[in-house]
């Protein structure tokens, strides 16, 4: 797998593989570079992250609605957006070792970072994956795999306005796959060629755009705080004029300190009226907005918040991972927020007799109706705790002799490792409240 040079990353990658979070794609065929599959725990983690985002950005608010647009879109969309002509990265090759790089990411221009050899001149390389729709492979049937989910929102902006009661200011949120033929995929799932984005486009009246840009900067910082990411591992980087994309009047990166350094997790952009104006020109459809109260007509400005779902998975894994030395022991623990933990509770009978497994299974069945839990009766309870710590399970519930007398169980909390006695009937609410803490 990529990114093996960093010891902390090695540990995270190894845990991910060992416990079924993330596997290399097509592994039995030698693996497909920079493509990854989410295993049984990984799919839960990623889905929980996407649900957390959806809940925060869409469900919590009456001024944002959701969308799920197709990955394949008319090619004209990508001409209008500027991706066909301009979505390129500068590519260079080393004349000696033949390795390939993005020239803007090289520390010493003209010199190969791997062997010091001379580099070729820069060529512009388009990052969009191209394919053909239908049986003919000619230029008229070219379609692209979308390199961002945003355009699916822009081309549906009028449909959403016509089919809902939304009025400006309002937003459209979407989570979906995006594809970029990256020159140098890197660092495990940080930069891959197939990934998922969680994007929200907020349509505002020109003149109020800077105010909304500030609003979304603050709101998105709050979101990461609620997700439980350590504040000292996050920083915020406003783009200088020279760093701005062609469509943006202002941009702001939310960065996280990954084991391999500070890197972008999310971008917040003031995209002005660039996108809708271009789609108006290319489609011939009038995409201006008429404000019935002020009787004004204008082209809305757009504030975008664009986060990577896979990058967030790597962020929460890096942030949650800890190797702890205990008095007599050590443990690896993932301190996930209960909302995103793949398994919410481990359920153990203290011993495999005296009716304890039956009670534990009864609790398992009851809780499983609401969230994923894991029944485990093998090995000593200490070992069972360690297995759950390593995958970030926030609670372990043990059925013991006292349970048989008074219907209470021992609940052990992952981070503090403290134990308390809880009535079986109160378990659901205890865990439910923790999962929903932060909203
Ligand atoms: P970078 O500078 O890292 O290439 P970008 O500025 O091109 O990223 P955007 O186009 O703003 O990224 O995309 C928004 C978000 O989508 C990024 O903040 C990131 O979380 C995610 N993302 C972009 N490219 C990739 C990729 N190749 N793999 C995984 N996630 C990605």
């Amino acid at each position: 797998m990529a990114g093996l040079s960093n010891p902390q990353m090695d540990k995270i990658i190894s845990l991910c593989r060992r416990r079924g979070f993330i596997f290399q794609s097509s592994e039995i065929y030698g693996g497909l570079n920079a493509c990854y599959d989410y295993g049984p725990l990984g799919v839960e983690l990623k889905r929980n992250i996407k649900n957390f985002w959806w809940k925060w950005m869409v469900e919590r608010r009456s001024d944002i609605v959701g969308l799920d647009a197709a990955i394949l879109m008319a090619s004209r969309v990508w001409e209008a957006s500027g991706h066909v002509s301009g979505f390129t990265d500068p590519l260079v090759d080393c004349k000696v070792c033949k390795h390939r790089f993005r020239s803007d990411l090289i520390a010493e221009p003209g010199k190969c970072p791997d062997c010091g050899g001379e580099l070729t001149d820069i060529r512009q390389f388009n990052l969009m994956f191209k394919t053909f729709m239908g049986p003919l492979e000619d230029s008229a049937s070219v379609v692209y795999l979308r390199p961002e989910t945003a355009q699916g929102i822009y081309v549906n902006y009028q449909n959403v306005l016509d089919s809902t009661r939304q009025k400006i200011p309002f937003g459209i949120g979407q989570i979906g796959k995006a594809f970029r033929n990256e020159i140098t995929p890197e660092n495990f799932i940080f930069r891959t060629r197939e990934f998922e984005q969680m994007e929200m486009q907020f349509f505002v009246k020109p003149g109020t755009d800077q105010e909304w840009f500030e609003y979304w900067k603050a709101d998105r910082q709050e979101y990461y705080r609620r997700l439980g990411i350590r504040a000292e591992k996050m920083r915020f980087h406003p783009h200088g004029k020279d760093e701005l994309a062609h469509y943006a009047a202002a941009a702001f990166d939310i960065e996280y300190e990954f084991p391999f350094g500070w890197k972008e997790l999310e971008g917040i952009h003031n995209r002005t009226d660039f996108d809708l104006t271009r789609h108006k020109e290319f489609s011939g459809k009038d995409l201006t907005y008429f404000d019935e109260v002020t009787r004004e007509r204008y082209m809305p400005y757009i504030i975008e918040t664009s986060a990577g779902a896979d990058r967030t998975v790597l962020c929460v894994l890096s942030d949650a991972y800890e190797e702890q030395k205990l008095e007599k022991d050590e443990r690896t623990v993932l301190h996930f927020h209960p909302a995103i933990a793949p398994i919410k509770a481990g359920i153990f009978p203290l011993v495999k007799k005296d009716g304890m497994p039956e009670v534990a299974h009864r609790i398992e069945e009851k809780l499983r109706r609401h969230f994923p839990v894991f029944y485990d009766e093998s090995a000593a309870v200490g070992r069972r705790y360690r297995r759950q710590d390593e995958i970030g399970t926030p609670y372990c519930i043990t059925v013991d002799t006292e349970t048989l007398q008074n219907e209470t169980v021992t609940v052990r909390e992952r981070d503090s490792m403290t134990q308390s006695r809880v009535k079986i009937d109160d378990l659901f609410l205890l865990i439910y409240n923790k999962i929903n803490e932060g909203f």
Side-chain angles (χ1 to χ4, degrees), residues 180 182 190-192 195 197 264-266 306 308 311:
R180 294 181 189 179
E182 299 275 2
F190 176 79
R191 185 186 305 284
T192 51
F195 55 97
Q197 289 185 313
E264 174 183 330
L265 184 58
E266 165 161 352
S306 177
R311 269 189 205 179

Side-chain angles (χ1 to χ4, degrees), residues 209-210 213 241 244-251 269-272 301:
D209 46 307
Q210 214 38 40
F213 180 67
K241 281 268 175 274
L244 289 178
H246 60 281
Y247 54 75
H269 308 116
N270 178 349
R271 296 183 69 125
T272 70
Y301 268 40

Side-chain angles (χ1 to χ4, degrees), residues 400-413:
D400 50 27
T401 332
E402 212 184 314
T403 314
L404 308 176
Q405 292 153 10
N406 63 9
E407 287 279 304
T408 64
V409 287
T410 304
V411 174
R412 181 258 199 187
E413 200 271 330

Side-chain angles (χ1 to χ4, degrees), residues 286-337:
D286 180 11
L287 299 177
T288 54
Y289 178 81
F290 181 68
D291 186 323
E292 280 163 12
V293 178
T294 61
R295 316 297 295 168
E296 286 169 283
R297 184 170 283 285
Y298 57 81
M299 188 59 93
Y301 268 40
I302 294 172
I303 310 299
E304 159 184 80
T305 72
S306 177
D310 310 82
R311 269 189 205 179
T312 311
V313 171
L314 188 56
C315 163
V316 300
L317 280 166
S318 313
D319 206 61
Y321 185 91
E322 190 188 7
E323 287 168 6
Q324 268 184 344
K325 287 250 171 295
L326 307 174
E327 239 173 72
K328 295 190 204 135
D329 199 359
E330 55 188 60
R331 65 168 185 162
T332 300
V333 52
L334 287 173
H335 299 281
F336 291 141
H337 184 304

